[in-house]
Amino acid sequence: KHIDKLVGTLRSDEQLQEILKRKFTKKEFKVFVAFEEGKSIEEIKALVKEDDEKVQEHYKVACKKLKKKKIKKELVSFE
């Protein structure tokens, strides 16, 4: 839902997680996954030991990274 103009098929969940772990910082990855799992901001703050502002910033940066062409190419399979 965070990627515009996707060409091809998304890779498996396992492959996607591995790619995102390489591209995101540890905190960006934890925050992004927690938001996508529907966790509350309070739960996420406790998970990464950060305040609201920092949690939102990690999520924003992760979403920006997902929109980069180079990363998009890695997330899809053209088979």
mmCIF file of all heavy atoms in Angstrom, residues 48-72:
data_model
loop_
_atom_site.group_PDB
_atom_site.id
_atom_site.type_symbol
_atom_site.label_atom_id
_atom_site.label_comp_id
_atom_site.label_asym_id
_atom_site.label_seq_id
_atom_site.Cartn_x
_atom_site.Cartn_y
_atom_site.Cartn_z
ATOM 1 N N VAL A 48 10.531 0.379 20.697
ATOM 2 C CA VAL A 48 11.795 0.995 20.248
ATOM 3 C C VAL A 48 12.358 2.025 21.232
ATOM 4 O O VAL A 48 13.397 2.621 20.963
ATOM 5 C CB VAL A 48 11.653 1.634 18.836
ATOM 6 C CG1 VAL A 48 11.413 0.581 17.793
ATOM 7 C CG2 VAL A 48 10.583 2.693 18.805
ATOM 8 N N LYS A 49 11.651 2.213 22.339
ATOM 9 C CA LYS A 49 12.105 3.143 23.392
ATOM 10 C C LYS A 49 12.359 4.543 22.845
ATOM 11 O O LYS A 49 13.418 5.138 23.058
ATOM 12 C CB LYS A 49 13.341 2.581 24.090
ATOM 13 C CG LYS A 49 13.070 1.276 24.816
ATOM 14 C CD LYS A 49 14.351 0.661 25.331
ATOM 15 C CE LYS A 49 14.133 -0.642 26.042
ATOM 16 N NZ LYS A 49 13.640 -1.730 25.262
ATOM 17 N N GLU A 50 11.368 5.062 22.107
ATOM 18 C CA GLU A 50 11.448 6.407 21.524
ATOM 19 C C GLU A 50 10.140 7.145 21.801
ATOM 20 O O GLU A 50 9.138 6.528 22.139
ATOM 21 C CB GLU A 50 11.641 6.311 20.003
ATOM 22 C CG GLU A 50 12.917 5.648 19.564
ATOM 23 C CD GLU A 50 14.111 6.572 19.493
ATOM 24 O OE1 GLU A 50 13.990 7.761 19.856
ATOM 25 O OE2 GLU A 50 15.179 6.108 19.086
ATOM 26 N N ASP A 51 10.145 8.470 21.610
ATOM 27 C CA ASP A 51 8.922 9.251 21.787
ATOM 28 C C ASP A 51 8.104 9.278 20.488
ATOM 29 O O ASP A 51 8.550 8.800 19.449
ATOM 30 C CB ASP A 51 9.243 10.662 22.280
ATOM 31 C CG ASP A 51 10.079 11.468 21.290
ATOM 32 O OD1 ASP A 51 10.130 11.105 20.103
ATOM 33 O OD2 ASP A 51 10.684 12.471 21.712
ATOM 34 N N ASP A 52 6.898 9.859 20.570
ATOM 35 C CA ASP A 52 5.986 9.918 19.411
ATOM 36 C C ASP A 52 6.665 10.479 18.165
ATOM 37 O O ASP A 52 6.548 9.913 17.079
ATOM 38 C CB ASP A 52 4.787 10.833 19.720
ATOM 39 C CG ASP A 52 3.749 10.177 20.592
ATOM 40 O OD1 ASP A 52 4.035 9.152 21.220
ATOM 41 O OD2 ASP A 52 2.621 10.709 20.643
ATOM 42 N N GLU A 53 7.336 11.595 18.352
ATOM 43 C CA GLU A 53 7.949 12.282 17.223
ATOM 44 C C GLU A 53 8.979 11.407 16.515
ATOM 45 O O GLU A 53 9.011 11.323 15.288
ATOM 46 C CB GLU A 53 8.609 13.573 17.725
ATOM 47 C CG GLU A 53 8.967 14.538 16.626
ATOM 48 C CD GLU A 53 9.490 15.854 17.184
ATOM 49 O OE1 GLU A 53 8.776 16.485 17.993
ATOM 50 O OE2 GLU A 53 10.617 16.215 16.812
ATOM 51 N N LYS A 54 9.820 10.752 17.280
ATOM 52 C CA LYS A 54 10.864 9.885 16.705
ATOM 53 C C LYS A 54 10.248 8.675 16.002
ATOM 54 O O LYS A 54 10.706 8.282 14.924
ATOM 55 C CB LYS A 54 11.776 9.415 17.825
ATOM 56 C CG LYS A 54 13.255 9.616 17.741
ATOM 57 C CD LYS A 54 13.815 10.475 16.692
ATOM 58 C CE LYS A 54 15.284 10.214 16.595
ATOM 59 N NZ LYS A 54 15.854 10.682 15.361
ATOM 60 N N VAL A 55 9.216 8.096 16.603
ATOM 61 C CA VAL A 55 8.536 6.938 15.996
ATOM 62 C C VAL A 55 7.946 7.347 14.642
ATOM 63 O O VAL A 55 8.120 6.648 13.642
ATOM 64 C CB VAL A 55 7.442 6.375 16.937
ATOM 65 C CG1 VAL A 55 6.539 5.399 16.203
ATOM 66 C CG2 VAL A 55 8.076 5.704 18.152
ATOM 67 N N GLN A 56 7.272 8.497 14.611
ATOM 68 C CA GLN A 56 6.674 8.982 13.353
ATOM 69 C C GLN A 56 7.764 9.246 12.307
ATOM 70 O O GLN A 56 7.583 8.962 11.127
ATOM 71 C CB GLN A 56 5.870 10.269 13.603
ATOM 72 C CG GLN A 56 4.644 10.073 14.445
ATOM 73 C CD GLN A 56 3.557 9.270 13.754
ATOM 74 O OE1 GLN A 56 3.575 9.062 12.551
ATOM 75 N NE2 GLN A 56 2.599 8.806 14.535
ATOM 76 N N GLU A 57 8.894 9.780 12.744
ATOM 77 C CA GLU A 57 10.000 10.066 11.831
ATOM 78 C C GLU A 57 10.571 8.771 11.238
ATOM 79 O O GLU A 57 10.836 8.702 10.038
ATOM 80 C CB GLU A 57 11.097 10.862 12.547
ATOM 81 C CG GLU A 57 12.235 11.285 11.663
ATOM 82 C CD GLU A 57 11.840 12.231 10.534
ATOM 83 O OE1 GLU A 57 10.816 12.940 10.636
ATOM 84 O OE2 GLU A 57 12.565 12.245 9.521
ATOM 85 N N HIS A 58 10.759 7.755 12.066
ATOM 86 C CA HIS A 58 11.259 6.462 11.565
ATOM 87 C C HIS A 58 10.311 5.903 10.513
ATOM 88 O O HIS A 58 10.746 5.404 9.468
ATOM 89 C CB HIS A 58 11.396 5.442 12.705
ATOM 90 C CG HIS A 58 12.532 5.706 13.642
ATOM 91 N ND1 HIS A 58 13.818 5.947 13.230
ATOM 92 C CD2 HIS A 58 12.571 5.760 14.997
ATOM 93 C CE1 HIS A 58 14.601 6.132 14.276
ATOM 94 N NE2 HIS A 58 13.864 6.035 15.370
ATOM 95 N N TYR A 59 9.005 5.993 10.776
ATOM 96 C CA TYR A 59 8.006 5.462 9.835
ATOM 97 C C TYR A 59 8.021 6.258 8.528
ATOM 98 O O TYR A 59 7.999 5.682 7.439
ATOM 99 C CB TYR A 59 6.615 5.490 10.479
ATOM 100 C CG TYR A 59 5.565 4.796 9.650
ATOM 101 C CD1 TYR A 59 5.587 3.417 9.483
ATOM 102 C CD2 TYR A 59 4.542 5.513 9.040
ATOM 103 C CE1 TYR A 59 4.624 2.766 8.723
ATOM 104 C CE2 TYR A 59 3.580 4.869 8.286
ATOM 105 C CZ TYR A 59 3.625 3.502 8.131
ATOM 106 O OH TYR A 59 2.668 2.859 7.377
ATOM 107 N N LYS A 60 8.105 7.572 8.645
ATOM 108 C CA LYS A 60 8.119 8.446 7.470
ATOM 109 C C LYS A 60 9.334 8.156 6.588
ATOM 110 O O LYS A 60 9.217 8.048 5.363
ATOM 111 C CB LYS A 60 8.131 9.896 7.948
ATOM 112 C CG LYS A 60 8.035 10.927 6.873
ATOM 113 C CD LYS A 60 7.943 12.307 7.522
ATOM 114 C CE LYS A 60 8.590 13.343 6.663
ATOM 115 N NZ LYS A 60 8.656 14.647 7.317
ATOM 116 N N VAL A 61 10.497 8.007 7.207
ATOM 117 C CA VAL A 61 11.727 7.720 6.461
ATOM 118 C C VAL A 61 11.628 6.348 5.778
ATOM 119 O O VAL A 61 11.998 6.196 4.612
ATOM 120 C CB VAL A 61 12.968 7.788 7.384
ATOM 121 C CG1 VAL A 61 14.208 7.257 6.691
ATOM 122 C CG2 VAL A 61 13.193 9.213 7.853
ATOM 123 N N ALA A 62 11.086 5.358 6.484
ATOM 124 C CA ALA A 62 10.929 4.016 5.905
ATOM 125 C C ALA A 62 10.011 4.072 4.684
ATOM 126 O O ALA A 62 10.314 3.472 3.643
ATOM 127 C CB ALA A 62 10.378 3.050 6.952
ATOM 128 N N CYS A 63 8.910 4.793 4.787
ATOM 129 C CA CYS A 63 7.974 4.915 3.660
ATOM 130 C C CYS A 63 8.628 5.624 2.476
ATOM 131 O O CYS A 63 8.420 5.239 1.321
ATOM 132 C CB CYS A 63 6.703 5.637 4.094
ATOM 133 S SG CYS A 63 5.673 4.650 5.197
ATOM 134 N N LYS A 64 9.445 6.644 2.747
ATOM 135 C CA LYS A 64 10.158 7.346 1.677
ATOM 136 C C LYS A 64 11.111 6.391 0.961
ATOM 137 O O LYS A 64 11.224 6.412 -0.262
ATOM 138 C CB LYS A 64 10.963 8.516 2.246
ATOM 139 C CG LYS A 64 10.228 9.799 2.298
ATOM 140 C CD LYS A 64 11.191 10.910 2.720
ATOM 141 C CE LYS A 64 10.484 12.241 2.760
ATOM 142 N NZ LYS A 64 11.384 13.313 3.207
ATOM 143 N N LYS A 65 11.809 5.575 1.739
ATOM 144 C CA LYS A 65 12.748 4.621 1.150
ATOM 145 C C LYS A 65 12.029 3.649 0.231
ATOM 146 O O LYS A 65 12.547 3.269 -0.818
ATOM 147 C CB LYS A 65 13.500 3.853 2.242
ATOM 148 C CG LYS A 65 14.557 4.674 2.939
ATOM 149 C CD LYS A 65 15.292 3.851 3.982
ATOM 150 C CE LYS A 65 16.373 4.650 4.678
ATOM 151 N NZ LYS A 65 17.099 3.846 5.677
ATOM 152 N N LEU A 66 10.822 3.231 0.623
ATOM 153 C CA LEU A 66 10.050 2.282 -0.196
ATOM 154 C C LEU A 66 9.688 2.857 -1.557
ATOM 155 O O LEU A 66 9.470 2.107 -2.497
ATOM 156 C CB LEU A 66 8.752 1.893 0.526
ATOM 157 C CG LEU A 66 8.844 0.799 1.545
ATOM 158 C CD1 LEU A 66 7.464 0.537 2.138
ATOM 159 C CD2 LEU A 66 9.395 -0.482 0.966
ATOM 160 N N LYS A 67 9.606 4.163 -1.655
ATOM 161 C CA LYS A 67 9.208 4.798 -2.910
ATOM 162 C C LYS A 67 10.370 4.977 -3.880
ATOM 163 O O LYS A 67 10.164 5.331 -5.034
ATOM 164 C CB LYS A 67 8.533 6.137 -2.625
ATOM 165 C CG LYS A 67 7.215 5.933 -1.907
ATOM 166 C CD LYS A 67 6.536 7.224 -1.597
ATOM 167 C CE LYS A 67 5.398 6.946 -0.669
ATOM 168 N NZ LYS A 67 4.139 7.378 -0.988
ATOM 169 N N LYS A 68 11.581 4.709 -3.422
ATOM 170 C CA LYS A 68 12.747 4.859 -4.296
ATOM 171 C C LYS A 68 12.762 3.741 -5.340
ATOM 172 O O LYS A 68 12.525 2.579 -5.045
ATOM 173 C CB LYS A 68 14.037 4.824 -3.485
ATOM 174 C CG LYS A 68 14.220 6.058 -2.638
ATOM 175 C CD LYS A 68 15.554 6.043 -1.939
ATOM 176 C CE LYS A 68 15.734 7.316 -1.147
ATOM 177 N NZ LYS A 68 17.011 7.338 -0.448
ATOM 178 N N LYS A 69 13.066 4.130 -6.556
ATOM 179 C CA LYS A 69 13.043 3.209 -7.692
ATOM 180 C C LYS A 69 13.938 1.983 -7.466
ATOM 181 O O LYS A 69 13.553 0.861 -7.753
ATOM 182 C CB LYS A 69 13.483 3.962 -8.947
ATOM 183 C CG LYS A 69 13.123 3.316 -10.227
ATOM 184 C CD LYS A 69 13.534 4.220 -11.385
ATOM 185 C CE LYS A 69 12.461 4.191 -12.443
ATOM 186 N NZ LYS A 69 12.775 5.076 -13.560
ATOM 187 N N LYS A 70 15.124 2.213 -6.947
ATOM 188 C CA LYS A 70 16.093 1.134 -6.738
ATOM 189 C C LYS A 70 15.535 0.063 -5.781
ATOM 190 O O LYS A 70 15.673 -1.134 -6.021
ATOM 191 C CB LYS A 70 17.389 1.723 -6.173
ATOM 192 C CG LYS A 70 18.503 0.744 -6.013
ATOM 193 C CD LYS A 70 19.743 1.453 -5.490
ATOM 194 C CE LYS A 70 20.851 0.469 -5.203
ATOM 195 N NZ LYS A 70 22.006 1.104 -4.596
ATOM 196 N N ILE A 71 14.888 0.502 -4.717
ATOM 197 C CA ILE A 71 14.322 -0.440 -3.741
ATOM 198 C C ILE A 71 13.104 -1.132 -4.323
ATOM 199 O O ILE A 71 12.919 -2.342 -4.157
ATOM 200 C CB ILE A 71 14.004 0.265 -2.405
ATOM 201 C CG1 ILE A 71 15.312 0.703 -1.740
ATOM 202 C CG2 ILE A 71 13.210 -0.651 -1.478
ATOM 203 C CD1 ILE A 71 15.151 1.478 -0.451
ATOM 204 N N LYS A 72 12.262 -0.390 -5.036
ATOM 205 C CA LYS A 72 11.074 -0.983 -5.666
ATOM 206 C C LYS A 72 11.473 -2.160 -6.552
ATOM 207 O O LYS A 72 10.824 -3.186 -6.555
ATOM 208 C CB LYS A 72 10.346 0.048 -6.530
ATOM 209 C CG LYS A 72 9.453 0.978 -5.780
ATOM 210 C CD LYS A 72 8.643 1.760 -6.806
ATOM 211 C CE LYS A 72 8.215 3.087 -6.312
ATOM 212 N NZ LYS A 72 7.508 3.862 -7.329
#
